[in-house]
Amino acid sequence: MVPDDWEGVMGGSQFGAPGSFTPPAGEGDAGSNFLSGLLDGPTDSEAAKRVSEGGHHLKDLAQSGQFAVNEEGFQAYMKACDFFLDGYNRMIVDVGLLTTAANMGGSEYAKAVATFNVKVADGDEESLIPNLIRMRDGVLQAREAMAIARKNYRETEDAHSMTFAQLNKGLQEQ
């Protein structure tokens, strides 16, 4: 189940250079923007676009060392991503059934409804299937970002531990 409180998910995340706890301007919302798109769903093209762009943005931040996440945050993000991906294959198959016009009768109205249903499923870039694919790609990018961000966090923690050990050794030598 996806958590109701996304702030709890973001609690284990940090944006900025490793070791920094101050987010660069505008970057602190990247994870929230990504997750809010997941909640809006594939019927909203803007939400699908936010998920896709958000996943790529998170990965870019992580690769440049500007995003780090501790184990608790990592697990929460992965849970949200896996929740979506677990249902994705079922959703895409179900929506794929709508790409064939249903035999709804011979009237013009029945034909129009059947044609409309096909268009909603896969008629253009705003329809369900392209939106689902956009969202899946964004979620996959976010999963990759989380692995990188967890590594960033661990490296930061290791650096802090070494600095503390050196400081402690210096104090003991005095």
Side-chain angles (χ1 to χ4, degrees), residues 121-157:
D122 196 21
D124 58 28
E125 285 302 307
E126 304 293 316
S127 56
L128 288 170
I129 290 176
N131 284 337
L132 282 170
I133 291 169
R134 262 188 225 99
M135 291 178 79
R136 180 210 55 208
D137 292 347
V139 170
L140 291 172
Q141 291 292 304
R143 285 183 104 257
E144 290 179 34
M146 291 308 121
I148 296 166
R150 179 173 60 173
K151 179 179 173 265
N152 290 347
Y153 185 86
R154 288 176 177 167
E155 288 174 356
T156 299
E157 287 299 300

Coordinates of all heavy atoms in Angstrom, one line a residue, residues 121-157:
A121 N -8.2 4.7 -24.9 CA -7.2 3.7 -24.6 C -5.8 4.0 -25.3 O -4.8 4.0 -24.6 CB -7.6 2.3 -24.9
D122 N -5.9 4.3 -26.6 CA -4.6 4.4 -27.3 C -4.8 5.3 -28.6 O -4.2 4.9 -29.6 CB -4.0 3.1 -27.6 CG -2.5 3.1 -28.0 OD1 -1.9 4.1 -27.7 OD2 -2.1 2.2 -28.7
G123 N -5.5 6.3 -28.5 CA -5.8 7.1 -29.7 C -4.8 8.2 -30.0 O -4.6 8.6 -31.1
D124 N -4.1 8.7 -28.9 CA -3.1 9.7 -29.1 C -2.2 9.8 -27.9 O -2.3 8.9 -27.0 CB -3.8 11.1 -29.4 CG -4.7 11.5 -28.2 OD1 -4.5 11.1 -27.1 OD2 -5.7 12.2 -28.5
E125 N -1.3 10.8 -27.9 CA -0.3 10.9 -26.8 C -1.0 11.2 -25.4 O -0.3 11.1 -24.4 CB 0.7 11.9 -27.1 CG 1.7 11.4 -28.1 CD 2.5 10.2 -27.7 OE1 3.0 10.2 -26.6 OE2 2.5 9.2 -28.4
E126 N -2.2 11.6 -25.4 CA -2.9 11.9 -24.2 C -3.7 10.7 -23.6 O -4.3 10.9 -22.6 CB -3.9 13.1 -24.5 CG -3.2 14.3 -25.0 CD -2.3 15.0 -24.0 OE1 -2.6 15.1 -22.8 OE2 -1.2 15.4 -24.4
S127 N -3.7 9.6 -24.3 CA -4.6 8.5 -23.9 C -3.9 7.6 -22.9 O -2.7 7.9 -22.5 CB -5.0 7.7 -25.2 OG -3.9 7.3 -25.9
L128 N -4.6 6.6 -22.4 CA -4.1 5.8 -21.3 C -2.8 5.1 -21.5 O -1.9 5.1 -20.6 CB -5.2 4.8 -20.9 CG -6.5 5.4 -20.2 CD1 -7.6 4.3 -20.1 CD2 -6.1 5.9 -18.8
I129 N -2.7 4.4 -22.6 CA -1.5 3.5 -22.8 C -0.2 4.4 -22.9 O 0.7 4.1 -22.1 CB -1.7 2.6 -24.0 CG1 -2.7 1.5 -23.7 CG2 -0.3 2.0 -24.4 CD1 -3.1 0.6 -24.8
P130 N -0.2 5.5 -23.6 CA 1.0 6.3 -23.6 C 1.3 6.9 -22.2 O 2.5 7.0 -21.8 CB 0.8 7.4 -24.6 CG -0.2 6.8 -25.5 CD -1.1 5.9 -24.7
N131 N 0.3 7.2 -21.5 CA 0.5 7.8 -20.1 C 1.0 6.7 -19.2 O 1.9 6.9 -18.4 CB -0.8 8.3 -19.6 CG -1.2 9.7 -20.2 OD1 -0.3 10.4 -20.6 ND2 -2.4 10.1 -20.2
L132 N 0.5 5.5 -19.3 CA 1.0 4.4 -18.5 C 2.4 4.1 -18.8 O 3.2 3.9 -17.8 CB 0.1 3.1 -18.7 CG -1.2 3.1 -18.0 CD1 -2.0 1.9 -18.5 CD2 -1.0 3.0 -16.5
I133 N 2.8 4.1 -20.0 CA 4.2 3.9 -20.4 C 5.1 5.0 -19.9 O 6.2 4.7 -19.3 CB 4.3 3.7 -21.9 CG1 3.6 2.4 -22.4 CG2 5.8 3.8 -22.4 CD1 3.4 2.3 -23.9
R134 N 4.6 6.2 -20.0 CA 5.4 7.4 -19.4 C 5.6 7.2 -17.9 O 6.7 7.4 -17.4 CB 4.7 8.7 -19.7 CG 5.1 9.4 -20.8 CD 4.4 10.8 -20.9 NE 4.0 11.1 -22.2 CZ 2.8 10.9 -22.7 NH1 1.8 10.6 -21.9 NH2 2.5 11.1 -23.9
M135 N 4.5 6.8 -17.2 CA 4.6 6.6 -15.8 C 5.6 5.5 -15.4 O 6.4 5.6 -14.5 CB 3.2 6.4 -15.2 CG 2.4 7.6 -15.3 SD 0.7 7.4 -14.6 CE 1.1 7.5 -12.9
R136 N 5.5 4.4 -16.2 CA 6.4 3.2 -15.9 C 7.8 3.6 -16.1 O 8.6 3.3 -15.2 CB 6.0 2.1 -16.8 CG 6.9 0.9 -16.6 CD 7.2 0.0 -17.8 NE 7.7 0.8 -18.9 CZ 7.6 0.5 -20.2 NH1 6.9 -0.6 -20.6 NH2 8.1 1.3 -21.1
D137 N 8.1 4.3 -17.1 CA 9.5 4.8 -17.4 C 10.0 5.7 -16.3 O 11.1 5.6 -15.8 CB 9.6 5.5 -18.7 CG 9.4 4.5 -19.9 OD1 9.4 3.3 -19.7 OD2 9.2 5.0 -21.0
G138 N 9.1 6.6 -15.8 CA 9.5 7.5 -14.7 C 9.8 6.7 -13.4 O 10.7 7.0 -12.7
V139 N 8.9 5.7 -13.1 CA 9.1 4.9 -11.9 C 10.4 4.1 -12.0 O 11.1 4.0 -11.0 CB 7.8 4.0 -11.7 CG1 8.1 3.0 -10.6 CG2 6.6 4.9 -11.4
L140 N 10.7 3.5 -13.2 CA 11.9 2.8 -13.3 C 13.1 3.7 -13.1 O 14.1 3.3 -12.5 CB 12.0 2.1 -14.7 CG 11.0 1.0 -14.9 CD1 11.0 0.5 -16.4 CD2 11.3 -0.2 -14.0
Q141 N 13.1 4.9 -13.6 CA 14.1 5.9 -13.4 C 14.3 6.2 -11.9 O 15.4 6.3 -11.4 CB 13.9 7.2 -14.2 CG 14.1 7.0 -15.7 CD 15.5 6.7 -16.1 OE1 16.4 7.4 -15.8 NE2 15.7 5.5 -16.8
A142 N 13.1 6.4 -11.3 CA 13.2 6.7 -9.8 C 13.8 5.6 -9.0 O 14.5 5.8 -8.1 CB 11.7 7.0 -9.3
R143 N 13.5 4.3 -9.4 CA 14.1 3.2 -8.7 C 15.6 3.2 -8.8 O 16.3 3.0 -7.9 CB 13.5 1.8 -9.3 CG 12.1 1.5 -8.8 CD 11.7 0.2 -9.4 NE 11.7 -0.8 -8.2 CZ 12.7 -1.7 -8.0 NH1 13.6 -1.8 -8.8 NH2 12.6 -2.4 -6.9
E144 N 16.1 3.5 -10.0 CA 17.5 3.6 -10.2 C 18.1 4.8 -9.4 O 19.1 4.6 -8.8 CB 17.8 3.8 -11.7 CG 17.6 2.6 -12.6 CD 17.9 2.8 -14.0 OE1 18.8 3.6 -14.3 OE2 17.2 2.3 -14.9
A145 N 17.3 5.9 -9.4 CA 17.8 7.0 -8.6 C 17.9 6.7 -7.1 O 18.8 7.1 -6.4 CB 16.8 8.2 -8.7
M146 N 17.0 5.9 -6.6 CA 17.0 5.5 -5.2 C 18.3 4.7 -4.8 O 18.9 4.9 -3.8 CB 15.8 4.7 -4.8 CG 14.5 5.5 -4.8 SD 14.6 7.1 -3.8 CE 14.3 8.2 -5.1
A147 N 18.6 3.8 -5.7 CA 19.8 3.0 -5.5 C 21.1 3.9 -5.4 O 21.9 3.8 -4.6 CB 20.0 1.9 -6.5
I148 N 21.1 4.8 -6.4 CA 22.3 5.8 -6.4 C 22.2 6.7 -5.2 O 23.3 6.9 -4.5 CB 22.2 6.6 -7.7 CG1 22.4 5.7 -8.9 CG2 23.3 7.7 -7.7 CD1 22.1 6.4 -10.2
A149 N 21.0 7.2 -4.8 CA 20.9 8.1 -3.7 C 21.3 7.4 -2.4 O 21.8 8.0 -1.5 CB 19.5 8.6 -3.6
R150 N 20.9 6.1 -2.3 CA 21.3 5.4 -1.0 C 22.8 5.2 -1.0 O 23.4 5.4 0.1 CB 20.6 4.0 -1.0 CG 21.0 3.2 0.2 CD 20.2 1.9 0.3 NE 20.4 1.0 -0.8 CZ 20.0 -0.2 -0.9 NH1 19.2 -0.7 0.1 NH2 20.2 -0.9 -2.0
K151 N 23.4 5.0 -2.1 CA 24.9 4.9 -2.1 C 25.5 6.3 -1.7 O 26.4 6.3 -1.0 CB 25.3 4.5 -3.5 CG 26.8 4.4 -3.7 CD 27.2 4.0 -5.2 CE 28.6 4.1 -5.5 NZ 29.0 5.3 -6.1
N152 N 24.9 7.4 -2.3 CA 25.4 8.7 -1.9 C 25.3 8.9 -0.4 O 26.2 9.5 0.2 CB 24.5 9.8 -2.6 CG 24.8 9.8 -4.1 OD1 25.7 9.2 -4.6 ND2 23.9 10.5 -4.8
Y153 N 24.2 8.5 0.2 CA 24.0 8.7 1.6 C 25.0 7.9 2.4 O 25.6 8.4 3.4 CB 22.6 8.2 2.0 CG 22.3 8.5 3.5 CD1 21.8 9.7 3.9 CD2 22.5 7.5 4.5 CE1 21.5 10.0 5.2 CE2 22.2 7.8 5.8 CZ 21.7 9.0 6.1 OH 21.4 9.3 7.5
R154 N 25.3 6.6 2.0 CA 26.2 5.8 2.7 C 27.6 6.4 2.6 O 28.4 6.3 3.6 CB 26.2 4.4 2.1 CG 25.0 3.6 2.5 CD 24.9 2.2 1.9 NE 23.8 1.5 2.4 CZ 23.3 0.4 1.8 NH1 24.0 -0.1 0.7 NH2 22.3 -0.2 2.3
E155 N 28.0 6.9 1.4 CA 29.3 7.5 1.2 C 29.4 8.7 2.1 O 30.5 9.0 2.7 CB 29.5 7.9 -0.2 CG 29.8 6.7 -1.1 CD 29.8 7.0 -2.6 OE1 29.6 8.2 -3.0 OE2 30.1 6.0 -3.4
T156 N 28.4 9.5 2.3 CA 28.4 10.7 3.1 C 28.6 10.3 4.6 O 29.4 10.9 5.3 CB 27.1 11.5 3.0 OG1 27.0 11.9 1.6 CG2 27.1 12.7 3.9
E157 N 27.8 9.2 5.0 CA 28.0 8.7 6.3 C 29.4 8.2 6.6 O 29.9 8.5 7.7 CB 26.9 7.6 6.6 CG 25.5 8.1 6.7 CD 25.3 9.1 7.9 OE1 25.6 8.7 9.0 OE2 24.9 10.2 7.6

